């Protein structure tokens, strides 16, 4: 006699899900099946986009207005990137806390993506040190809300609007170990500096063992093939010491302030 196959475990009830779309919270049947970015970038044979895209532009504009309004008076700040998957008991989490704490002690607000893991660690270190802890959240199907250590938060629908805030209000980047999202943020920052789309600011990678293989590949393979300028690798600093990372930010920030003070004034 055949043994009956046990039924597969059912998915978690939709009512247990919590979803953030910009400032809006949705649960249960209200959770959408796709993200705003996915709908924006979807290409289909339908001509509906002729009617809907102009309204999307207004929504995109509102995200920039909201972000600019929330962060305009933030003061000196540093954006810290890292994996959402970093566990609270991992050494990288403690490293993120120390980075956040050291930045506040040096006079900076801390900006992260507002999620869990390394982002939460940096926000926690900043908040516990008595500084400003900023989280710039993003609508994703598998992450919900800002971590509890954010005291100034903005939720975004669109990645490109959020990325603008990371760059506009920071005078440097510190990058903790992370995955595709962290790599995306890292290489966008390097590209903006390398192409002089932004005023040069320091980019510090924390975790020599983690980042070493990537840097070796950039030097031994990409630079050797001529697909990037080896001199551009000097845009990246690598360290295992959170205080050295912050010191690099402070040094470059002060040098940039002095340079701007003596630069000739040009009419707009």
């Amino acid at each position: 006699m055949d043994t009956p196959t046990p039924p597969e475990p059912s998915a978690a009830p939709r009512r247990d899900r919590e979803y953030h779309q910009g400032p809006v919270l949705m649960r249960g049947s209200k959770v959408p099946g796709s993200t705003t970015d996915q709908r924006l970038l979807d290409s289909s044979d339908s001509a509906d986009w002729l009617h809907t895209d102009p309204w999307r532009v207004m929504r995109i504009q509102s995200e920039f207005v909201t972000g600019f309004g929330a962060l305009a008076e933030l003061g000196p700040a540093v954006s810290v990137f890292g994996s959402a998957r970093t566990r609270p008991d991992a050494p990288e989490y403690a490293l993120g806390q120390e980075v956040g704490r050291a930045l506040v002690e040096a006079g900076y607000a801390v900006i992260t993506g507002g999620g869990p893991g390394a982002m939460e660690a940096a926000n926690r270190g900043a908040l516990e040190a008595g500084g400003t802890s900023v989280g710039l959240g993003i609508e994703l199907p598998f992450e919900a809300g800002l971590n509890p250590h954010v005291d100034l938060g903005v939720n975004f629908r669109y990645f490109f609007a959020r990325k603008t805030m990371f760059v506009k209000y920071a005078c440097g980047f510190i990058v903790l170990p992370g995955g595709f999202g962290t790599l995306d943020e890292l290489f966008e920052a390097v590209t903006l500096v390398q192409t002089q789309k932004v005023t040069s600011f320091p980019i510090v990678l924390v975790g020599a063992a983690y980042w070493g293989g990537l840097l070796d590949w950039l030097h031994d393979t990409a630079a050797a093939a001529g697909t990037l300028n080896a001199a551009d690798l000097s845009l990246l600093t690598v360290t295992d010491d959170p205080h050295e990372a912050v010191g690099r930010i402070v040094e470059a920030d002060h040098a940039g302030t002095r340079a701007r003070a003596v630069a000739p004034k040009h009419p707009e």
Side-chain angles (χ1 to χ4, degrees):
M1 178 174 168
D2 293 334
T3 304
T5 303
E8 295 184 1
S10 60
R14 284 180 62 87
R15 64 176 177 274
D16 292 341
R17 291 187 60 195
E18 183 173 291
Y19 191 86
H20 291 257
Q21 188 176 72
V24 179
L25 167 67
M26 290 170 282
R27 293 192 177 102
S29 63
K30 298 301 181 184
V31 175
S34 61
T35 67
T36 309
D37 264 329
Q38 183 180 350
R39 292 189 294 276
L40 170 66
L41 299 175
D42 179 51
S43 77
S44 64
D45 294 331
S46 170
D48 287 347
W49 64 270
L50 290 170
H51 309 289
T52 59
D53 276 7
W55 292 105
R56 285 196 179 115
V57 170
M58 300 299 290
R59 178 180 285 171
I60 291 167
Q61 176 179 293
S62 74
E63 291 215 335
F64 281 104
V65 170
T66 299
F68 292 156
L71 303 178
E73 298 179 356
L74 182 61
V78 173
S79 289
V80 180
F81 302 132
S83 175
R85 301 179 182 183
T86 301
R87 296 177 59 85
D89 58 353
E92 293 80 8
Y93 189 95
L95 195 64
Q97 280 186 271
E98 189 57 34
V99 166
R101 184 179 302 111
L103 284 169
V104 168
E105 291 171 351
Y108 297 97
V110 171
I111 304 173
T112 79
M119 294 175 282
E120 175 187 300
N123 285 132
R124 180 176 176 180
L127 195 64
E128 291 177 348
T132 299
S133 175
V134 180
L136 306 180
I138 184 68
E139 173 194 343
L140 292 175
F142 45 80
E143 289 179 23
L146 299 171
N147 70 67
H149 305 287
V150 168
D151 62 357
L152 176 59
V154 183
N155 278 306
F156 291 87
R157 293 180 174 92
Y158 299 103
F159 265 117
F160 52 83
R162 178 184 185 234
K163 286 181 175 181
T164 300
M165 305 304 152
F166 279 133
V167 175
K168 179 173 176 59
Y169 293 102
C171 55
F173 287 169
I174 292 180
V175 189
L176 298 164
F180 283 140
T182 303
L183 291 170
D184 174 52
E185 291 154 345
L186 165 61
F187 281 113
E188 180 155 12
V190 176
T191 301
L192 290 172
V193 175
Q194 187 252 358
T195 57
Q196 299 182 24
K197 288 294 185 180
V198 296
T199 303
S200 181
F201 51 70
I203 303 167
V204 186
L205 307 178
V206 180
Y210 187 87
W211 296 111
L214 173 63
L215 295 175
D216 288 343
W217 179 84
L218 289 172
H219 182 273
D220 298 340
T221 301
T227 53
L228 61 80
N229 189 333
D232 289 336
L233 294 178
S234 64
L235 297 173
L236 300 171
T237 300
V238 187
T239 181
D240 288 315
D241 184 353
H243 295 278
E244 182 180 345
V246 174
R248 175 72 184 96
I249 299 287
V250 171
E251 177 186 0
D253 189 20
H254 289 175
T257 300
R258 290 193 297 271
R260 288 189 293 271
V262 300
K265 303 296 183 182
H266 297 286
E268 293 296 332

